[in-house]
Amino acid sequence: MDYTTLSKEIGACLNPLQAYIYLGLCLHTDFKNDMSSINQDTLAKFLKCNVGTVQRALQMFKENHLLAIHRDRYGWREKNRYKLIRTNWFGVYRKILEEDIPREQIGFLLLLKSLCYSHCNYTDYYGKDLQKIMALKQSMIDNYLRALEAKQYIKRDRKKKRITILRNDFFLTTKESEKEKMMKLCPEVMSDDDYIDEHGHYHFVG
C-alpha cells in the first residue's frame, strides 16, 4: 500500500519524532484488523532510529491509548503484536518519507495535519492556542514552523491566525459525508450519543 491512516489524537500527545515512528508503525499494519507484528529491530532499521527510541515511542503510544500491546509466547520466546486504535483518522501517503528534510520535521507536519479541520489542510490553532494543545514548548513549535515555512511546506496567515499545509500530495483527500453536511446545517438532529470534539470533528455513535 502506498498510504496508511493515522489517529488524529497524536497532535495532543506525541512529539515530532514519536509521530514519525508512529507513521512507520502504521505503514506496517494490516488494514483489515489494525494489527502489526513488526519486530522492533525491523521498525528501527526502516526508520533509521535506534531500538531504544522505538521502544520508548511504543510505550508512549500505549500510554496514550493509540495502541494495545499483545505478547505472544513461543516456547521461551515472546513476540509483541500491536493493535492500533484509529477510530478518528487521516490518510498519509508513504512518499512523505522520501522528502529530504529531517525526520522530526516530517513528524511535525503529521502533528499539524492531525490538528487540521476534517477534509482540509489548515488549522486555526495558532500561537499560544497551538502550544496549549501540543506536547511541545513554544520555542520548539516556532522553530519547526519557521523551518517548514522557509521550505514552503506550510504557510502562516498572521491576520487570520491560520496555518495551512501547502503540500496536498502528502495526504489522502477525503470528502464530507452526507451526514456531516447535514449536521452542520441541522445540528439539532444529532443523537444524544453523537458529539463534536474540540477540533470540530464529528463522531457518530451507533
Side-chain angles (χ1 to χ4, degrees):
M1 274 244 184
D2 65 344
Y3 73 91
T4 188
T5 59
L6 278 65
S7 171
K8 277 183 167 284
E9 312 306 321
I10 65 173
C13 60
L14 301 186
N15 65 36
L17 180 55
Q18 291 163 350
Y20 177 81
I21 294 170
Y22 180 69
L23 171 62
L25 178 63
C26 290
L27 284 167
H28 291 86
T29 297
D30 190 324
F31 264 110
K32 293 181 180 179
N33 57 20
D34 279 334
M35 294 295 299
S36 176
S37 300
I38 189 170
N39 184 279
Q40 293 176 3
D41 291 330
T42 303
L43 183 58
K45 185 177 180 179
F46 173 73
L47 294 170
K48 298 178 181 178
C49 297
N50 65 61
V51 177
T53 300
V54 169
Q55 290 173 339
R56 288 189 293 273
L58 290 170
Q59 186 60 36
M60 180 64 71
F61 304 158
K62 179 182 177 182
E63 291 173 3
N64 286 280
H65 311 292
L66 296 172
L67 57 73
I69 300 177
H70 301 272
R71 289 184 172 86
D72 299 322
R73 184 175 291 277
Y74 301 93
W76 57 271
R77 293 189 304 114
E78 284 189 348
K79 181 174 177 58
N80 289 344
R81 289 183 299 130
Y82 309 100
K83 173 73 173 180
L84 271 67
I85 303 168
R86 300 182 288 190
T87 53
N88 191 16
W89 56 267
F90 63 99
V92 184
Y93 287 107
R94 180 188 290 264
K95 64 178 290 184
I96 196 172
L97 294 176
E98 300 170 5
E99 290 300 298
D100 187 22
I101 59 175
R103 59 194 182 189
E104 288 85 359
Q105 290 182 14
I106 293 175
F108 191 82
L109 275 176
L110 299 174
L111 296 178
L112 270 185
K113 176 61 179 176
S114 74
L115 298 175
C116 288
Y117 293 108
S118 297
H119 321 296
C120 64
N121 278 346
Y122 67 84
T123 178
D124 288 331
Y125 283 109
Y126 197 90
K128 291 183 179 179
D129 290 334
L130 185 61
Q131 192 275 326
K132 286 178 182 177
I133 191 108
M134 283 185 144
L136 296 171
K137 294 180 179 179
Q138 187 67 58
S139 59
M140 293 181 65
I141 293 173
D142 291 340
N143 287 339
Y144 283 119
L145 291 175
R146 278 195 295 270
L148 290 169
E149 191 167 36
K151 298 172 183 176
Q152 299 186 329
Y153 285 97
I154 67 164
K155 181 179 180 180
R156 287 181 284 182
D157 188 324
R158 290 168 175 80
K159 186 175 181 180
K160 292 184 178 179
K161 296 188 181 299
R162 173 174 291 177
I163 302 171
T164 301
I165 297 174
L166 300 177
R167 294 292 299 273
N168 295 326
D169 55 318
F170 289 160
F171 303 106
L172 198 64
T173 301
T174 58
K175 296 181 180 179
E176 279 187 308
S177 69
E178 292 304 314
K179 188 170 184 180
E180 285 177 307
K181 292 177 182 178
M182 183 175 66
M183 292 303 179
K184 286 185 176 179
L185 294 172
C186 306
E188 66 274 9
V189 302
M190 293 180 72
S191 73
D192 292 338
D193 293 324
D194 296 339
Y195 66 97
I196 306 173
D197 68 19
E198 67 272 20
H199 309 314
H201 305 139
Y202 288 76
H203 299 259
F204 306 118
V205 181

